[in-house]
Amino acid sequence: PRIRIGSEAPNFEVDTTKGKIDFHKFIGDNWVVFFSHPADFTPVCTTELGAFAQLEPEFSKKGTKLIGLSTEPVESHKAWIKDIESYKNTSVNFPIIADDTKEIAFKYDMLSEEQLQNINSGLVPTIRSVFIIDPAKKIRAIISYPPSLGRNSAEVLRAVDALQTADKNGVVTPIDWTQGQDVIIPPTVSDEAAKAKFGEFTKHFNYLRTTSLK
Amino acid sequence: PRIRIGSEAPNFEVDTTKGKIDFHKFIGDNWVVFFSHPADFTPVCTTELGAFAQLEPEFSKKGTKLIGLSTEPVESHKAWIKDIESYKNTSVNFPIIADDTKEIAFKYDMLSEEQLQNINSGLVPTIRSVFIIDPAKKIRAIISYPPSLGRNSAEVLRAVDALQTADKNGVVTPIDWTQGQDVIIPPTVSDEAAKAKFGEFTKHFNYLRTTSLK
């Protein structure tokens, strides 16, 4: 693939519902959740964009910016946003990219097998991609769902939280981890160093030690 | 990428903790959750495999088989399984693939940018990939997380549930949907056909109609 875990997020300049952006400048020193939706004025997408708009303050508290994308022009996005805002009684404050040349969808692999084969046809709906990008502009996590399957907004927030907690504290997070639960001390840290850094910890195996963050 | 939403899952023959398998024969008429973990005897992986082992009966009820993978031999997996079983007080009944040639990790893009560049070095930990594969052997959803980030087992189960519900009922599912909640009638179904098929529905917009499944 063009993009893997650890790849640098490809840069681009593009028009959005909030004006032209240079993607790397948009990222700046923030974390970014970059996600595509298949098409404006379609049902699952309306529920998704509404949910992300409602959750934006939570992402904001974590220094995380949201940005959407589909392969339609700005005017289409702007007309559709009115529906989203009335349906969820919210306001969509993050930009939605107008990728009407499909360049970004191609660069970021936001296409299904079938869509890739038809990329030169008129309408190319994107899949439901999510890229979590860190301030170093590296791709840290990717979720790819088909058009029929609405995402899980809480899982996107949890993944951002887990990645930030890991980076900040030099730990890793177990399956199903949520804020406040015990974290894992990486095997590269000695017991002595772990004690100095984290205080108490539980040693389940030599390689599996858990601790709570103060 | 070699694998996108809608691609056929590439076939392979390989040794596992439950004997040799042909992957397409293993899929058979089932849904499959195929997931990789970075390495045996590592902490996050132990919590993950334990959680999936505990959830296997839930997947089973949905006609869904689990299968794991890392780039280590069967003997390593078998020794490590004892730790998983004692840590989570469960038993690991699904096979774990011994991809010690790294062929499958390469075919399925289970590698980070850095790992791909070092694929010919000795140890190549895989990323945390999840592929949801349907009985037609098509890739329906993909999740790719880095080694530091434990997955969300409930989200994998929810995604399987949503895909199966969509296929069975000719509907699609909104963001954050869980079993029992309202589903969406696709815009390709007329109001008349929707009424005949689903009975009552709510029309939020022409393109957004929700209904409950009996």
Side-chain angles (χ1 to χ4, degrees):
Chain A
R2 279 165 286 273
I3 298 194
R4 302 173 165 277
I5 301 296
S7 303
E8 184 178 84
N11 198 23
F12 51 80
E13 289 185 22
V14 74
D15 205 12
T16 80
T17 51
K18 303 286 182 185
K20 274 215 187 308
I21 63 156
D22 169 291
F23 191 51
H24 279 192
K25 285 188 191 146
F26 174 82
I27 299 172
D29 293 325
N30 304 282
W31 287 71
V32 168
V33 172
F34 177 26
F35 60 99
S36 52
H37 68 272
D40 298 342
F41 298 103
T42 58
V44 177
C45 304
T46 305
T47 69
E48 288 202 311
L49 277 274
F52 281 115
Q54 287 176 324
L55 270 182
E56 193 179 27
E58 295 305 311
F59 283 103
S60 227
K61 277 184 211 156
K62 300 181 199 303
T64 304
K65 293 165 93 170
L66 301 179
I67 185 163
L69 175 147
S70 81
T71 60
E72 290 151 306
V74 163
E75 306 72 55
S76 167
H77 292 339
K78 284 189 173 167
W80 177 49
I81 282 173
K82 291 179 193 148
D83 282 2
I84 302 169
E85 293 183 337
S86 90
Y87 181 59
K88 286 282 191 174
N89 192 24
T90 184
S91 71
V92 177
N93 296 317
F94 55 83
I96 304 177
I97 290 170
D99 184 31
D100 39 7
T101 63
K102 307 161 203 165
E103 272 185 50
I104 304 168
F106 183 77
K107 257 188 192 168
Y108 275 80
D109 293 320
M110 291 164 157
L111 299 164
S112 72
E113 193 73 45
E114 192 188 345
Q115 289 155 354
L116 184 67
Q117 285 162 17
N118 295 309
I119 192 164
N120 291 319
S121 71
L123 181 69
V124 177
T126 35
I127 59 164
R128 301 187 189 283
S129 295
V130 180
F131 296 95
I132 301 178
I133 302 169
D134 70 16
K137 299 174 184 59
K138 295 278 183 204
I139 305 287
R140 298 292 295 273
I142 307 170
I143 301 173
S144 310
Y145 280 2
S148 70
L149 175 56
R151 286 166 279 216
N152 182 337
S153 58
E155 175 56 13
V156 178
L157 198 59
R158 188 194 78 88
V160 168
D161 211 6
L163 289 166
Q164 291 183 347
T165 299
D167 284 12
K168 187 178 164 198
N169 299 286
V171 298
V172 294
T173 54
I175 194 158
D176 303 332
W177 179 86
T178 55
Q179 193 63 261
Q181 292 181 344
D182 282 2
V183 296
I184 291 171
I185 302 166
T188 45
V189 178
S190 71
D191 279 355
E192 293 69 34
K195 193 154 189 198
K197 186 165 180 186
F198 301 105
E200 296 297 307
F201 60 83
T202 307
K203 194 172 191 162
H204 307 278
F205 299 107
N206 280 335
Y207 60 85
L208 175 46
R209 296 163 301 170
T210 53
T211 190
S212 70
L213 295 172
K214 306 293 157 340
Chain B
R2 279 164 288 273
I3 298 193
R4 299 173 168 278
I5 301 297
S7 303
E8 184 179 83
N11 199 21
F12 52 80
E13 288 186 21
V14 73
D15 205 13
T16 80
T17 51
K18 304 285 181 186
K20 274 214 188 307
I21 64 157
D22 169 291
F23 190 51
H24 279 191
K25 285 188 191 146
F26 174 83
I27 299 173
D29 293 325
N30 305 282
W31 286 72
V32 169
V33 172
F34 177 26
F35 60 100
S36 52
H37 67 271
D40 298 341
F41 298 104
T42 57
V44 177
C45 303
T46 305
T47 69
E48 288 202 313
L49 277 273
F52 280 116
Q54 287 176 325
L55 269 182
E56 194 180 26
E58 294 305 311
F59 283 103
S60 223
K61 275 183 214 157
K62 299 179 199 305
T64 304
K65 294 165 91 170
L66 301 179
I67 185 164
L69 175 147
S70 80
T71 60
E72 291 150 305
V74 163
E75 306 73 53
S76 166
H77 291 339
K78 284 189 172 167
W80 177 48
I81 282 174
K82 291 179 193 149
D83 283 2
I84 301 169
E85 293 182 337
S86 90
Y87 180 59
K88 285 283 191 172
N89 192 24
T90 186
S91 71
V92 178
N93 296 317
F94 55 84
I96 304 177
I97 290 169
D99 184 33
D100 38 8
T101 63
K102 306 162 204 166
E103 271 185 51
I104 304 168
F106 183 76
K107 257 187 194 171
Y108 275 80
D109 293 321
M110 292 164 157
L111 299 164
S112 71
E113 192 72 48
E114 192 189 346
Q115 290 155 353
L116 184 68
Q117 285 162 18
N118 295 310
I119 192 165
N120 291 318
S121 69
L123 180 70
V124 177
T126 34
I127 58 164
R128 302 187 189 283
S129 294
V130 179
F131 296 95
I132 301 179
I133 302 168
D134 70 16
K137 299 175 181 61
K138 295 278 183 204
I139 305 286
R140 298 291 295 272
I142 308 171
I143 301 172
S144 311
Y145 280 4
S148 69
L149 175 56
R151 285 167 278 216
N152 182 337
S153 58
E155 175 56 14
V156 178
L157 198 59
R158 187 193 77 88
V160 167
D161 211 6
L163 289 166
Q164 292 183 347
T165 299
D167 285 11
K168 187 178 165 200
N169 299 286
V171 297
V172 294
T173 54
I175 195 158
D176 303 333
W177 179 87
T178 55
Q179 193 62 261
Q181 293 181 344
D182 283 0
V183 296
I184 291 171
I185 302 167
T188 46
V189 179
S190 71
D191 279 354
E192 292 69 34
K195 193 154 191 195
K197 186 166 181 187
F198 301 104
E200 295 298 307
F201 60 83
T202 307
K203 193 172 193 163
H204 307 278
F205 300 106
N206 280 334
Y207 60 86
L208 175 46
R209 296 164 301 170
T210 54
T211 190
S212 70
L213 295 172
K214 307 287 157 343

